[in-house]
Amino acid sequence: MTKNEKQHIVNQYLDQYINPIEQYRSTPIMVFNNWICWLYEQWNCGMLNIKEYRALIKIDLDDYIGV
């Protein structure tokens, strides 16, 4: 997966937050844990294949959120 593809998926995840950057600054563990749960749901529903799931679970959200 390219960085742009990963960024697109991270943006899809962050769209569920009203202010994702502030949420990440105040409770990064919650955002990270929800990221893992959200990825699993996406994989379980067939929105991600196993290769994408494995690549995304390893990323550092700091690099994609822009904190």
Side-chain angles (χ1 to χ4, degrees):
M1 292 184 77
T2 66
K3 183 166 174 104
N4 287 337
E5 291 171 332
K6 290 177 185 177
Q7 183 67 56
H8 177 72
I9 293 171
V10 170
N11 289 343
Q12 287 178 333
Y13 166 68
L14 293 176
D15 283 345
Q16 66 185 331
Y17 293 102
I18 294 171
N19 188 345
I21 294 173
E22 187 61 36
Q23 186 75 33
Y24 189 78
R25 286 180 182 154
S26 64
T27 54
I29 296 299
M30 185 193 78
V31 174
F32 180 75
N33 287 343
N34 287 342
W35 166 248
I36 300 301
C37 292
W38 185 82
L39 282 177
Y40 177 78
E41 289 173 9
Q42 298 303 304
W43 172 73
N44 197 34
C45 293
M47 300 302 290
L48 296 172
N49 63 38
I50 193 69
K51 186 176 179 181
E52 293 168 329
Y53 176 76
R54 287 179 179 160
L56 290 166
I57 207 164
K58 295 176 186 176
I59 70 169
D60 183 6
L61 285 177
D62 287 343
D63 297 338
Y64 292 88
I65 291 177
V67 176

